[in-house]
Amino acid sequence: MPIGKNNNLGSMRNVYLKYGTLISPIGNGINAHFNAFITNTSGLNWVDSIGFNKENLPLGKISIPENNSLQFMLNSACEALIKEHTSDRLNSPKTCFIISSTKADLSQLPNDTFEPLRTILKAHFPTSNEPIIISNACISGVVALNLAAQYIQSERYDDSFVIGIDAISDFVIYGFQSLFALSDEMCQPFDKTRKGINLGEACGIIHLTSRKEKAFCVEYVSGKTSNDANHISGPSRTGEGLFRAVSNALKEAEISATDIDFISAHGTGTIFNDDMESIAFNRLGMQGIPLNSMKGYFGHTLGAAGVIETLICMLSMEHSMLFKSLGFDEQGTPESLNILSENQEKKCQYVLKTASGFGGGNAVLILKSVR
Amino acid sequence: MKINTHSYLSQLGAAVNGKERYSFQENDNWTKELYVHLKLDYPKFHKMDGLSKMALLAVELIAEALPNQEITEEGLHLVFSNAGSSSDFDAKFINSYTELNMPSPSLFVYTLPNIVTGELAIKYKWYGESCFFIQKKFNASFFEEQLKFAFQKGASYCLCAWVEDHPLKTKECFVFLVENSTNLSLTEEVEKIYKQYKNE
């Protein structure tokens, strides 16, 4: 007999999400990102001769003197955590770090590409638990947040820091070019003339905890993943996995689709992905709910995306402000959606974050405002 | 929770529930050899990376033990792990643009470890929860922790796998199917089974 919400989860303790930090081409820290989103300022910039055939491409690339932006981002993020939290908490046996990344540090091949991330964490938090590493393509960040919530709910850990990180490399640029999935213009998620993704790099951290305390926080409600069982590199035509993941998350939350006040969609800007999402959200009866994609601000940051976009959802909830879906002008999906063409003031009780990616994965989570 | 059935394969051979089922004749094309031996008819197999091929074969070896489609559709969760991520195809894709001057899309799509779970989901029509973890080495207690979560989340069965295809490591795949029954610890049993397969 499967154990479901009704007979078991009732006894589980609440989980709260708090800001960690966010480093992206937009800036360093949560406030810098609020200022950029409220003024609809993108972190994407044109970079010369970066494509396989030396094309100029828009990228969300951090400008730093060092060569290795992965190490720079992770070190900066860890330093930000040290400023905010006591060493006891960061190094506690009741604290865990969960890393969400697709490619980590490819320069290490043939050695372990994830080892540099472990080494950096160990240097900053010497007695901390071995980090848990999740690599599930573009849904990694949302999957990592859902796992962190389970660790807190089950009382295995009291605090969990979810680190979403990926850096731009020739590898991913050439790879997405080879699939004809990379746009040579600024990306336009859900728009009629969209041509594909722009790549970005970022590192975001969310702190999940059992303690509400005084800092701003939101409550974790539920989260699910589901596979399309259809294709490894293209989304389902019917939005099957996304439909199932959202349905199951709503069921666990014991709320209905229209209780959701805002959807932070995946919205990569490829024809197939955005079409799929429009179909899934219509099947769910969610076409009227305000929705955006944040890829026009960050580009697609792969393993970091779920974490950094959830951080921006938290900003929307704190400031009762939904942000414009940058790059969107005219409906261009088979089913219509309520895409935010301007910033919109709105108090949100429930927010849905979704992600879909290679391997046919879909992951979603639902957050709730804390009064 | 209880281990229902398990299988293991490496370049030496394939085994189910601790008993040898096949011993390879060739070293180079051993996954294809087992594919032929099992009389599989799934042409997509030949395009897959090593991780997906090994996992698919290991699951085929225990296919009879899988519950029916009604249960597996969403009630089977996947917990997969390795140490080397997708490094074999990472290196092959890099070679396609550095040496052959043509980034290969068919290699690029396999440069993520979770493609394995995607391939299995497609083959067997599994829509349930899945996650791929990168661990320093095989860790039975970590699997147990994830199993507890899966059963709390409503799984009826869980398919766990340790699958490695890395130039510097042993190519191997160990899968074990776990059912949600009495709440006993599995860590020691899983550790023991894995060591026996490896002759440690």
Side-chain angles (χ1 to χ4, degrees), chain A residues 305-325:
Chain A
V307 178
I308 69 172
E309 294 169 11
T310 299
L311 281 166
I312 306 301
C313 289
M314 291 163 68
L315 280 173
S316 283
M317 294 166 88
E318 182 182 7
H319 298 278
S320 299
M321 180 63 74
L322 308 182
F323 302 112
K324 173 183 169 176
S325 195

Side-chain angles (χ1 to χ4, degrees), chain A residues 45-94:
Chain A
N45 278 299
W46 283 93
V47 179
D48 290 343
S49 12
I50 191 86
F52 185 69
N53 295 308
K54 306 285 166 227
E55 305 94 325
N56 301 344
L57 293 170
L59 284 180
K61 191 152 180 52
I62 290 176
S63 51
I64 46 159
E66 296 98 307
N67 206 7
N68 194 321
S69 53
L70 190 90
Q71 294 188 8
F72 169 82
M73 291 190 293
L74 188 54
N75 276 314
S76 310
C78 289
E79 283 156 20
L81 280 192
I82 289 165
K83 278 188 197 151
E84 286 293 318
H85 299 273
T86 63
S87 168
D88 282 354
R89 178 175 294 168
L90 294 168
N91 289 288
S92 163
K94 290 292 276 180

Side-chain angles (χ1 to χ4, degrees), chain B residues 57-198:
Chain B
L57 292 168
V59 172
E60 278 298 317
L61 287 168
I62 61 158
E64 282 173 15
L66 290 170
N68 65 41
Q69 179 66 24
E70 210 175 299
I71 293 170
T72 56
E73 183 172 324
E74 286 199 17
L76 178 75
H77 293 194
L78 310 181
V79 181
F80 277 48
S81 180
N82 76 7
S85 185
S86 53
S87 45
D88 181 52
F89 263 52
D90 289 351
K92 289 188 165 94
F93 175 66
I94 290 171
N95 186 64
S96 79
Y97 62 81
T98 54
E99 302 299 321
L100 310 173
N101 209 29
M102 179 65 81
S104 160
S106 56
L107 294 173
F108 181 65
V109 295
Y110 284 101
T111 62
L112 293 159
N114 66 298
I115 298 298
V116 178
T117 53
E119 287 287 17
L120 295 174
I122 294 166
K123 170 106 172 45
Y124 302 100
K125 293 290 157 208
W126 293 337
Y127 296 90
E129 303 257 338
S130 62
C131 191
F132 201 105
F133 297 93
I134 308 291
Q135 298 259 294
K136 272 189 167 169
K137 57 184 174 56
F138 180 82
N139 182 342
S141 64
F142 182 78
F143 274 108
E144 176 165 336
E145 188 167 82
Q146 299 309 317
L147 282 162
K148 275 186 198 156
F149 287 155
F151 293 131
Q152 273 169 8
K153 277 203 140 188
S156 306
Y157 285 81
C158 216
L159 185 73
C160 298
W162 174 262
V163 56
E164 194 73 87
D165 184 18
H166 184 285
L168 307 176
K169 299 177 199 292
T170 311
K171 286 177 200 291
E172 61 178 352
C173 181
F174 171 42
V175 304
F176 51 107
L177 178 70
V178 181
E179 58 185 71
N180 187 10
S181 61
T182 47
N183 212 6
L184 294 171
S185 170
L186 298 177
T187 301
E188 279 176 33
E189 193 186 350
V190 169
E191 191 72 48
K192 198 175 128 198
I193 295 169
Y194 180 63
K195 280 190 173 161
Q196 279 170 351
Y197 277 133
K198 290 179 76 78

Side-chain angles (χ1 to χ4, degrees), chain A residues 131-143:
Chain A
I132 294 158
I133 300 176
I134 285 180
S135 190
N136 285 264
C138 313
I139 70 167
S140 303
V142 176
V143 173

Side-chain angles (χ1 to χ4, degrees), chain A residues 29-285:
Chain A
I30 303 293
N31 287 339
H33 287 83
F34 179 69
N35 295 335
F37 272 78
I38 199 87
T39 54
N40 306 131
T41 308
S42 175
L44 295 168
N45 278 299
W46 283 93
V47 179
D48 290 343
S49 12
I50 191 86
F52 185 69
N53 295 308
K54 306 285 166 227
E55 305 94 325
N56 301 344
L57 293 170
L59 284 180
K61 191 152 180 52
I62 290 176
S63 51
I64 46 159
E66 296 98 307
N67 206 7
N68 194 321
S69 53
L70 190 90
Q71 294 188 8
F72 169 82
M73 291 190 293
L74 188 54
N75 276 314
S76 310
C78 289
E79 283 156 20
L81 280 192
I82 289 165
K83 278 188 197 151
E84 286 293 318
H85 299 273
T86 63
S87 168
D88 282 354
R89 178 175 294 168
L90 294 168
N91 289 288
S92 163
K94 290 292 276 180
T95 295
C96 78
F97 291 87
I98 303 181
I99 298 174
S100 153
S101 183
T102 63
K103 298 315 303 170
D105 190 349
L106 283 161
S107 68
Q108 302 295 313
L109 282 172
N111 294 314
D112 188 345
T113 50
F114 287 86
E115 189 56 26
L117 303 181
R118 293 189 191 102
T119 307
I120 291 171
L121 285 190
K122 205 77 196 162
H124 289 284
F125 317 118
T127 63
S128 60
N129 289 305
E130 183 79 17
I132 294 158
I133 300 176
I134 285 180
S135 190
N136 285 264
C138 313
I139 70 167
S140 303
V142 176
V143 173
L145 291 166
N146 287 336
L147 179 67
Q150 275 202 300
Y151 273 123
I152 310 290
Q153 281 169 341
S154 66
E155 306 192 17
R156 172 77 166 85
Y157 297 112
D158 293 331
D159 294 277
S160 177
F161 294 92
V162 175
I163 305 174
I165 184 164
D166 256 317
I168 289 174
S169 59
D170 290 347
F171 186 104
V172 288
I173 294 174
Y174 302 165
F176 280 99
Q177 279 190 304
S178 77
L179 294 172
F180 301 100
L182 204 67
S183 175
D184 57 2
E185 291 172 32
M186 290 289 176
C187 68
Q188 299 170 282
F190 300 107
D191 190 81
K192 204 175 173 179
T193 57
R194 67 187 185 275
K195 293 171 74 178
I197 70 167
N198 300 148
L199 284 164
E201 60 189 1
C203 176
I205 303 185
I206 293 180
H207 174 204
L208 289 93
T209 173
S210 58
R211 294 178 311 274
K212 210 181 204 177
E213 289 172 355
K214 55 186 185 298
F216 171 77
C217 62
V218 302
E219 191 180 331
Y220 178 86
V221 181
S222 65
K224 293 283 175 185
T225 69
S226 178
N227 200 286
D228 286 335
N230 176 61
H231 198 278
I232 55 163
S233 57
S236 155
R237 299 264 174 182
T238 58
E240 189 59 30
L242 183 57
F243 174 82
R244 287 179 189 242
V246 175
S247 302
N248 292 340
L250 289 168
K251 203 160 112 191
E252 189 175 287
E254 294 176 339
I255 59 173
S256 63
T258 47
D259 288 331
I260 300 290
D261 297 297
F262 162 62
I263 301 169
S264 164
H266 191 52
T268 59
T270 65
I271 301 280
F272 291 131
N273 175 78
D274 298 2
D275 279 0
M276 178 280 284
E277 289 188 63
S278 79
I279 291 162
F281 288 128
N282 273 267
R283 283 180 67 189
L284 289 154

